[in-house]
Amino acid sequence: MERAKHLVATVRDAAARHKIAWGELVPTAHAINAEAEAAEDAAYAEMEAAKQQLRDHICAQYGISHAELSSLTR
């Protein structure tokens, strides 16, 4: 259970960093800060990797496929 809690915390932390990076990339509805694009790309990749680790853990823990896990979100 501690591993799962750690993975969830990691996803939340990565999502928070991505939110900040996105805000720097798109500071207003009518502006793009191209200089922030690399940082936003890196933050997104970090968030996606954390999510993948959590999905992998859930699938291994419960013996289900990624497709089955995805179908549970509906």
Side-chain angles (χ1 to χ4, degrees), residues 9-74:
T10 300
V11 169
R12 287 178 177 158
D13 290 346
R17 285 189 293 279
H18 178 256
K19 181 179 180 180
I20 292 167
W22 180 259
E24 292 171 357
L25 177 65
V26 186
T28 72
H30 305 290
I32 298 286
N33 175 7
E35 293 177 4
E37 187 171 4
E40 189 277 333
D41 285 346
Y44 183 87
E46 178 189 6
M47 181 179 65
E48 185 54 35
K51 288 174 156 185
Q52 187 62 53
Q53 288 179 354
L54 179 57
R55 285 189 295 268
D56 291 346
H57 172 77
I58 291 168
C59 290
Q61 185 72 27
Y62 295 102
I64 61 175
S65 69
H66 285 90
E68 289 172 306
L69 177 61
S70 179
S71 74
L72 296 173
T73 63
R74 291 185 214 124

